[in-house]
Amino acid sequence: MKPIIAGRPAKYPARIREKGFSERLAYPLLALALSTPTAQAQLATNLVTSPKALALGNAVTADTPGIAAIHFNPAGLTQLEGRNLNVTLLNVRASIQTKFDAPPGYNIFGIDGVENDPILSKSGNGRTITLAAYLPGFGIIRLPKGPGVLPSTGFSYNPPGSKFTFGNMTYAPDLVGYYRSHNDPGRYLAKTAVLQRFTYLSPTVAYEIDDHWSVGLGIHFSQQAIGIDTFARAPNLLVGVAEELQTAFNCETGNEPLAPFLGLCGGDIGPWDDIGGITIETQETLSPKYVLGLTWTPTDWFSWGASYTSEAKMKLKGQFEVQYTEDWQAFWQRFTGSLFGAIGGAIFGLPSGVPKESGNVSMDFTHPAHFQTGISVKLNHAFTVNADLGWTDYSSWDAFDFTFDRPLEFLGAARLLSPNATETTLTLPLEYQDVWNLALGVEFHATSRLDLRAGVEFRDSPIPRNRRDTANPLGDATMYGLGLGYKWDRDSDVDVAIGYLRSAVSIPANSSLNVNSTAINNIILNPYAGLDVRTTTKIVQAAISFTTKF
């Protein structure tokens, strides 16, 4: 495996600041990389699907958007007659900003953070507008700067005189990925991160029971991928102690005052120094789930719909590679070469100072179940109002479990410090919560050929406050949509939409176990320990689709 950094082979020790490590840093180096992209799924849910859905704030369960009913409510396919073909282009531009500020008294074991933390010396601000994706056979790739274009296509067929309608759609129900520059301060909780679910086959059948009721069922076959490329540091109290010991022993002179009994001066270490980098690429090429839908239209002015999308349990498989800095290697080589270090290393399985570790990794992953229900009411000949309520089972992400194909040095050390690790396994607690989202949409029937649309969706975050981080830069958010539908001719329709989503998250110092906790035992995810953190995410979407009979 060749680790990928924005499409280039990773050479972490050559690309990042060459600083050291400590025994307690091996665990967070891997842990932060494994947890970041999986947290992003809620960011992408129903974000890039259909122009009509985007314009109406995804309030379309009872007023389905043509062939995209395959995703939202397959029962809605019964509204389509004959043979229909749809082609959609979606365009996404994202801006992710991070800001880090030092509260009064910011320090690690008495070492002044304002003076020594390089993030603060470079203004503490980061921003990216560059997208990333996972390409099977190539891994993580950096997309060109600017908006990303995502095509999708689908068709439906209703045999003459039949109550059955069949359809298929190829699209990406979840797709989120970004790339940060190597000097962006946000690089320590994902320099590049991708979570991607691409549905390549979704055979669906809908049946019109009578004039009022319809049902639908689809089986979706998808590729699921998760990729991460990140730098790491660990501003932990114990690392601060190690730096102070090196200062006390005057290690800068190159002398080892306690040799040969104890070696502490092999490599320079500090709480704000880069300690290494990691690349992880995992995927599952066949991940099925089903979508079940129902619609009820008792009158010509009211309809109700409901759909349920099952969860998809899978085992993602792939490769990982951890590359350590030269100072980390030198520190442990010198330490284990001393008398006490050799004894301690043999007893406790401490790191020996290898330059890298690589191999295969698997991850138990569940793409969560989703339920949505809604109504559509025609107030008069000019206005239709839609309202939807959706639920997603993010509580299934209480923790993530990883299994490695061999005993690893960093896990050997980690198991001494945490009950969540063995020599070949690692468990990451997340504590995510189920969420309910409200969506509202209104449609103005301007003419017999033109419909104008507007909508809003209130998207709650499943991440509890004590688990927020900068890798998933989206908390509670509101998405706004505008669009139109135009009857091009008797057999063709054009839909256009634009959407805007904004989220701002404030994480005060020492308030999250996943980003800035100063607790001595929080050795897993704290690259910004003691800092005030704020993220602002803005996403602009534009979409156009063309549907015609054939």
Side-chain angles (χ1 to χ4, degrees):
M1 167 197 171
K2 282 189 176 182
I4 300 296
I5 303 181
R8 298 173 55 188
K11 300 293 183 184
Y12 273 102
R15 295 190 60 188
I16 62 176
R17 296 172 62 246
E18 306 273 14
K19 292 296 181 180
F21 200 51
S22 176
E23 168 188 343
R24 289 157 176 80
L25 305 185
Y27 191 19
L29 180 61
L30 184 74
L32 69 90
L34 294 177
S35 65
T36 50
T38 49
Q40 299 169 29
Q42 64 91 20
L43 189 157
T45 301
N46 286 344
L47 198 59
V48 285
T49 47
S50 154
K52 180 179 178 180
L54 176 61
L56 293 174
N58 289 320
V60 293
T61 308
D63 180 17
T64 52
I67 292 174
I70 289 172
H71 172 77
F72 289 97
N73 183 354
L77 283 182
T78 58
Q79 300 175 19
L80 303 177
E81 298 179 351
R83 296 177 298 182
N84 298 273
L85 175 67
N86 171 268
V87 177
T88 300
L89 290 178
L90 298 116
N91 191 297
V92 179
R93 181 180 177 86
S95 172
I96 302 172
Q97 295 176 297
T98 53
K99 183 173 178 56
F100 304 92
D101 293 305
Y106 175 52
N107 72 90
I108 300 292
F109 195 65
I111 307 173
D112 184 14
V114 176
E115 179 181 344
N116 292 281
D117 190 343
I119 284 181
L120 300 178
S121 66
K122 297 179 180 179
S123 80
N125 296 326
R127 179 175 181 265
T128 181
I129 59 172
T130 306
L131 302 179
Y134 184 95
L135 187 62
F138 293 89
I140 304 172
I141 60 171
R142 173 185 174 184
L143 301 179
K145 287 188 177 181
V149 177
L150 178 67
S152 65
T153 184
F155 70 88
S156 68
Y157 175 55
N158 170 236
S162 175
K163 291 189 174 184
F164 286 97
T165 303
F166 306 92
N168 183 75
M169 187 175 176
T170 300
Y171 70 111
D174 287 348
L175 180 60
V176 60
Y178 59 82
Y179 165 84
R180 291 183 170 118
S181 65
H182 84 277
N183 60 354
D184 188 302
R187 66 189 181 275
Y188 295 109
L189 269 180
K191 179 176 177 289
T192 305
V194 175
L195 184 143
Q196 179 176 299
R197 186 172 181 85
F198 178 73
T199 299
Y200 47 82
L201 187 65
S202 56
T204 300
V205 58
Y207 180 72
E208 185 180 9
I209 299 174
D210 55 32
D211 292 340
H212 305 301
W213 292 91
S214 294
V215 295
L217 174 65
I219 307 296
H220 294 201
F221 300 93
S222 304
Q223 178 254 5
Q224 182 80 54
I226 291 176
I228 180 70
D229 195 4
T230 190
F231 290 6
R233 69 176 194 170
N236 186 274
L237 175 64
L238 296 172
V239 187
V241 172
E243 182 172 26
E244 290 292 272
L245 286 175
Q246 288 191 326
T247 301
F249 290 167
N250 199 21
C251 287
E252 292 182 357
T253 64
N255 297 323
E256 191 71 72
L258 299 183
F261 302 101
L262 183 63
L264 296 176
C265 298
D268 185 19
I269 64 174
W272 297 290
D273 294 331
D274 290 353
I275 60 178
I278 184 168
T279 299
I280 295 176
E281 297 172 359
T282 61
Q283 69 165 336
E284 171 59 65
T285 56
L286 179 59
S287 174
K289 58 171 26 185
Y290 67 85
V291 183
L292 180 65
L294 179 69
T295 60
W296 177 50
T297 309
T299 70
D300 60 358
W301 58 268
F302 176 86
S303 62
W304 167 80
S307 69
Y308 175 76
T309 303
S310 71
E311 68 178 14
K313 292 186 176 181
M314 68 203 86
K315 184 178 287 292
L316 302 179
K317 296 180 180 180
Q319 297 81 40
F320 78 96
E321 182 170 298
V322 184
Q323 296 194 14
Y324 302 106
T325 61
E326 292 178 358
D327 275 322
W328 181 86
Q329 301 168 44
F331 176 84
W332 283 108
Q333 289 168 3
R334 179 71 62 86
F335 179 80
T336 55
S338 66
L339 178 61
F340 290 119
I343 296 173
I347 295 175
F348 299 109
L350 301 180
S352 62
V354 296
K356 69 177 182 179
E357 295 185 276
S358 62
N360 298 322
V361 60
S362 63
M363 169 189 176
D364 293 323
F365 181 73
T366 299
H367 195 270
H370 179 77
F371 171 79
Q372 191 145 331
T373 185
I375 60 173
S376 179
V377 181
K378 294 182 179 179
L379 301 180
N380 51 40
H381 72 281
F383 286 96
T384 299
V385 175
N386 298 347
D388 268 33
L389 189 64
W391 166 86
T392 306
D393 182 25
Y394 284 115
S395 62
S396 60
W397 289 6
D398 183 61
F400 289 146
D401 298 314
F402 301 87
T403 302
F404 301 87
D405 65 344
R406 67 200 69 186
L408 300 173
E409 278 197 359
F410 59 83
L411 288 179
R415 65 186 175 86
L416 304 176
L417 309 167
S418 171
N420 296 319
T422 70
E423 288 186 339
T424 58
T425 64
L426 177 65
T427 297
L428 298 180
L430 293 177
E431 303 173 2
Y432 279 22
Q433 303 167 350
D434 294 348
V435 292
W436 287 89
N437 293 337
L438 175 66
L440 302 171
V442 60
E443 193 169 34
F444 172 57
H445 310 293
T447 71
S448 60
R449 302 178 67 177
L450 178 64
D451 294 326
L452 303 178
R453 300 162 179 151
V456 61
E457 183 180 25
F458 305 98
R459 302 167 68 96
D460 291 341
S461 172
I463 306 175
R465 292 186 178 275
N466 68 330
R467 293 291 180 182
R468 292 184 174 181
D469 57 45
T470 59
N472 180 4
L474 197 68
D476 295 342
T478 303
M479 185 181 76
Y480 302 93
L482 290 173
L484 60 86
Y486 182 70
K487 187 73 174 177
W488 189 267
D489 57 34
R490 185 181 66 178
D491 295 327
S492 305
D493 297 277
V494 175
D495 293 286
V496 179
I498 185 170
Y500 175 75
L501 180 148
R502 184 182 186 277
S503 171
V505 179
S506 178
I507 313 174
N510 205 32
S511 66
S512 173
L513 298 174
N514 284 17
V515 67
N516 61 3
S517 173
T518 58
I520 190 173
N521 62 342
N522 185 32
I523 60 173
I524 300 178
L525 295 167
N526 65 334
Y528 306 106
L531 288 173
D532 294 326
V533 182
R534 181 176 176 83
T535 66
T536 302
T537 303
K538 300 175 184 178
I539 300 176
V540 178
Q541 310 151 75
I544 182 170
S545 70
F546 179 75
T547 305
T548 187
K549 294 185 181 299
F550 68 99

